[in-house]
Amino acid sequence: METVKEKKKGTDSKKAIKISGAEAIIHCLLAEGVETMYGYPGGAIMPVYDELYKFQDKLTHILTRHEQGATHAAQGYARVSGRVGVAIATSGPGATNLVTGLADAQIDSTPMVCITGQVTRHLLGTDAFQETDIIGISTPVTKWNYQITEASEIPEVMAKAFYIAKSGRPGPVLIDITKNAQIDKFDFSYKKCTGVRSYKPVPKPEMSAIQAAADLINSAKKPFIVWGQGVILGQAEKELKELVEKANIPAAWTIMGASALDTAHPLNVGMVGMHGNYGPNLMTNECDVLLAIGMRFDDRVTGRLEDYAKQAKVLHFEIDPAEINKNVHADVAVLGNSKDTLGLILPLVNENKHEAWHNIFKEKYKIEYDTIIKNDIHPTKDGLTMGEVIEEINLASNNKAVIVSDVGQHQMIACRYAKFSQSKSNITSGGLGTMGFALPAAIGAKMGAMDREVVAIIGDGGFQMTIQELGVIFQHKVPVKIVVLNNEHLGMVRQWQELFFEKRYASTVMVNPDFVKIAESYSIEAKRISERKDLKSTIQEMMASKEPYFLEVKVEQEDNVFPMIPSGASVSEVRLK
């Protein structure tokens, strides 16, 4: 049985050699430093897989059990490692099964290159067996895509694909390669791409905007920072921390920005958004200067747009010009990589205190703690809560685990209560909200950071969407920890039905199989608990294990996640119950 192992890095190929297109693809991947890729073979991509077989000592291919699993695994790998994730599939249904992962990576700015096989060039447009126009299908959900029909195109297109995927605001790229282009031979040489005409991935910061932003920060009485994933993608964690501390500004995060600043930092005031913390949501509409750093003003963060931060001067630090004024008007737009722009503004920002302003956040947190948090993580009722499970994982991991969450109530609970002391520790499907994301993404995350503990937090609904990827854990002995929080419902939909549809629980009750037996059938150590007395010791046992581990926790069936901003409401209308 195969185990996960390290591979030697590839090098640039500069001298021309006559090889097939399929072999050229492998040499391109090695030249880009790819060590691990995820995929599923089929007829139209068979020549590439034949070459992969010959390069097993340099390039690890992980056979996922579904092509969607390959994309999510590549996403998890990319998000935790900071490198480009790679997925590969055949034509037709193999290619279309990648679309959800492409869409997920596009909206969450994840660098990924997907390679698909295609029918032979002369069959294009004939409705040949397993022919699908994946270029047309994937255009709306990729940063760039291209169909290769001649072998000689491969080096230049592959180099461009990796450059576009990882430069500027990252995203997914799809390269479709006809079978004849894989088989034909040509004189191969490879040169990495360092630029594309008319594509300017990183805008040059303007000092006038930097100065204007600094002036507003220095004059502010109630400044507030909301940061997103742009801080992590820009590797600006150090600069964010220095800005927060120098100007003494309370700072909150979107779910994609979580872990850029230690959750224990005294100026980290929590999460914004639909299920974010009470104080940060309310104070968005009380601050006088709002610094939005590497975030895109998603509707789950802003609530009703016409009532969002209207009293504040908005400073938008952003790498993508398309995001400026798209949802929220920016009084000052600071374009550029967040590491660069924050580095430039730091010397211009004055030291400050803002004690009265900070006290308001503390008061709001106490209200939220007494009303919600205390009952979530230290409950007195008999049934187990999702919050106390996350808290035990925090304690057992010393706040150092990578938490990969699926989508639903458990995702919001994990994002609210997981504690992070290291960046790139919160991996989730933010913009698309893809159920089934967590299991394959956790596999990829573990392979991207073998030295870190990776814990997947999944609901009983999402788990069954990609449950087949347990086979990857079985085959490759990936030591990931899987926690299924089982409330026997599609919990988030059920919560909405309870609050807004008079408890008409239409199609949200889950009749589940025996998850423990399923995990055990894949030779994964598995346990189920339903009582508080077993929680701490079982979590400790799971975290101490060096092998894959599956834990099902039976939690309260009708627990709700609060605070909550109802859909279409203002952030000022956040509900505590």
Side-chain angles (χ1 to χ4, degrees), residues 281-330:
N281 276 321
L282 283 179
M283 294 305 102
T284 301
N285 279 1
E286 298 293 333
C287 65
D288 58 1
V289 173
L290 176 62
L291 290 76
I293 305 173
M295 55 88 79
R296 59 187 179 85
F297 292 111
D298 175 74
D299 64 295
R300 287 293 172 102
V301 167
T302 65
R304 191 167 60 239
L305 270 174
E306 53 264 37
D307 295 325
Y308 183 79
K310 291 303 178 184
Q311 78 296 334
K313 295 291 185 182
V314 176
L315 315 181
H316 196 174
F317 292 72
E318 176 59 49
I319 197 170
D320 185 355
E323 293 296 344
I324 302 299
N325 298 326
K326 186 176 81 173
N327 294 324
V328 172
H329 171 74

Side-chain angles (χ1 to χ4, degrees), residues 14 44 76 81 91 104 132 143 150 214 222 267 271 279 345 352 385 410 416 429 447 453 548 576:
K14 294 187 173 74
S81 70
S91 63
D104 197 292
T132 299
K143 189 176 177 183
E150 295 184 9
K222 297 186 288 184
L267 295 174
M271 182 172 79
I345 204 171
N352 219 317
T385 67
H410 60 280
R416 281 178 54 79
S429 173
M447 291 181 175
E453 287 291 353
L576 290 172

Side-chain angles (χ1 to χ4, degrees), residues 178-381:
T178 59
K179 198 166 186 179
N180 63 283
Q182 299 171 47
I183 295 170
D184 293 345
K185 292 189 176 183
F186 72 107
D187 290 328
F188 172 81
S189 63
Y190 193 81
K191 183 180 179 181
K192 286 189 178 183
C193 181
T194 57
V196 177
R197 188 174 63 179
S198 79
Y199 170 54
K200 306 297 181 186
V202 183
K204 185 178 179 181
E206 294 183 5
M207 282 310 300
S208 59
I210 297 285
Q211 186 62 62
D215 291 343
L216 282 172
I217 293 169
N218 290 335
S219 64
K221 303 299 181 186
K222 297 186 288 184
F224 182 37
I225 289 173
V226 177
W227 86 83
Q229 190 187 200
V231 171
I232 297 171
L233 295 173
Q235 300 178 25
E237 294 92 342
K238 176 175 174 288
E239 289 76 11
L240 173 67
K241 184 172 183 286
E242 290 177 359
L243 175 63
V244 165
E245 291 176 347
K246 184 177 182 181
N248 211 40
I249 302 175
W253 37 272
T254 69
I255 64 169
M256 297 299 292
S259 81
L261 183 67
D262 193 325
T263 47
H265 194 288
L267 295 174
N268 185 338
V269 295
M271 182 172 79
V272 292
M274 178 172 281
H275 292 287
N277 292 101
Y278 186 55
N281 276 321
L282 283 179
M283 294 305 102
T284 301
N285 279 1
E286 298 293 333
C287 65
D288 58 1
V289 173
L290 176 62
L291 290 76
I293 305 173
M295 55 88 79
R296 59 187 179 85
F297 292 111
D298 175 74
D299 64 295
R300 287 293 172 102
V301 167
T302 65
R304 191 167 60 239
L305 270 174
E306 53 264 37
D307 295 325
Y308 183 79
K310 291 303 178 184
Q311 78 296 334
K313 295 291 185 182
V314 176
L315 315 181
H316 196 174
F317 292 72
E318 176 59 49
I319 197 170
D320 185 355
E323 293 296 344
I324 302 299
N325 298 326
K326 186 176 81 173
N327 294 324
V328 172
H329 171 74
D331 294 279
V332 179
V334 182
L335 285 168
N337 180 287
S338 56
K339 188 175 186 68
D340 297 334
T341 54
L342 293 181
L344 288 169
I345 204 171
L346 269 167
L348 306 177
V349 171
N350 298 334
E351 293 185 7
N352 219 317
K353 293 295 182 185
H354 302 301
E355 290 180 0
W357 178 232
H358 284 290
N359 286 336
I360 296 175
F361 281 89
K362 293 174 183 175
E363 291 168 5
K364 301 302 181 187
Y365 178 79
K366 187 178 187 308
I367 293 170
E368 182 181 353
Y369 183 87
D370 290 342
T371 309
I372 298 168
I373 297 173
K374 179 175 63 176
N375 297 320
D376 277 350
I377 63 176
H378 301 299
T380 55
K381 57 187 174 184

Side-chain angles (χ1 to χ4, degrees), residues 124-141:
L124 290 172
T126 68
D127 292 333
F129 177 67
Q130 292 194 333
E131 181 199 358
T132 299
D133 179 12
I134 193 60
I135 295 298
I137 291 169
S138 66
T139 294
V141 293

Side-chain angles (χ1 to χ4, degrees), residues 378-575:
H378 301 299
T380 55
K381 57 187 174 184
D382 292 337
L384 287 168
T385 67
M386 297 183 186
E388 65 181 314
V389 177
I390 302 301
E391 181 68 4
E392 288 297 341
I393 292 171
N394 292 334
L395 294 171
S397 67
N398 197 25
N399 303 342
K400 293 181 179 178
V402 175
I403 303 296
V404 185
S405 55
D406 212 78
V407 173
Q409 286 183 314
H410 60 280
Q411 176 191 34
M412 294 296 100
I413 291 292
C415 289
R416 281 178 54 79
Y417 295 122
K419 295 177 182 176
F420 303 115
S421 59
Q422 184 176 339
S423 188
K424 297 186 180 73
S425 294
N426 183 58
I427 313 298
T428 195
S429 173
L432 195 64
T434 304
M435 289 179 68
F437 171 86
L439 182 57
I443 292 168
K446 183 62 180 178
M447 291 181 175
M450 290 297 290
D451 59 328
R452 301 191 64 188
E453 287 291 353
V454 175
V455 183
I457 306 295
I458 316 178
D460 48 312
F463 181 55
Q464 293 177 85
M465 287 192 170
T466 50
I467 195 171
Q468 69 276 359
E469 302 306 333
L470 291 174
V472 178
I473 296 172
F474 172 51
Q475 181 174 351
H476 296 279
K477 296 185 180 297
V478 188
V480 68
K481 311 297 165 56
I482 306 159
V483 179
V484 169
L485 300 177
N486 184 2
N487 59 10
E488 297 181 350
H489 283 80
L490 298 176
M492 186 61 81
V493 183
R494 187 214 56 77
Q495 176 169 335
W496 281 56
Q497 289 171 335
E498 176 185 338
L499 297 177
F500 308 116
F501 293 88
E502 299 177 341
K503 296 187 177 183
R504 293 187 294 274
Y505 297 146
S507 301
T508 45
V509 177
M510 299 289 288
V511 179
N512 296 316
D514 189 323
F515 294 134
V516 169
K517 285 184 178 178
I518 291 172
E520 288 176 339
S521 73
Y522 286 97
S523 296
I524 298 171
E525 184 175 0
K527 285 194 175 180
R528 177 188 298 112
I529 60 172
S530 58
E531 297 184 24
R532 188 162 292 116
K533 64 181 178 60
D534 301 318
L535 180 61
K536 188 181 190 69
S537 60
T538 308
I539 294 287
Q540 289 176 338
E541 176 185 294
M542 177 184 75
M543 297 305 295
S545 174
K546 303 300 182 186
E547 304 294 329
Y549 196 109
F550 174 88
L551 175 61
E552 178 187 359
V553 184
K554 303 280 276 188
V555 296
E556 287 278 302
Q557 288 193 1
E558 296 195 1
D559 249 0
N560 289 330
V561 184
F562 287 105
M564 180 181 184
I565 301 169
S567 181
S570 161
V571 293
S572 299
E573 298 172 291
V574 55
R575 293 173 52 169

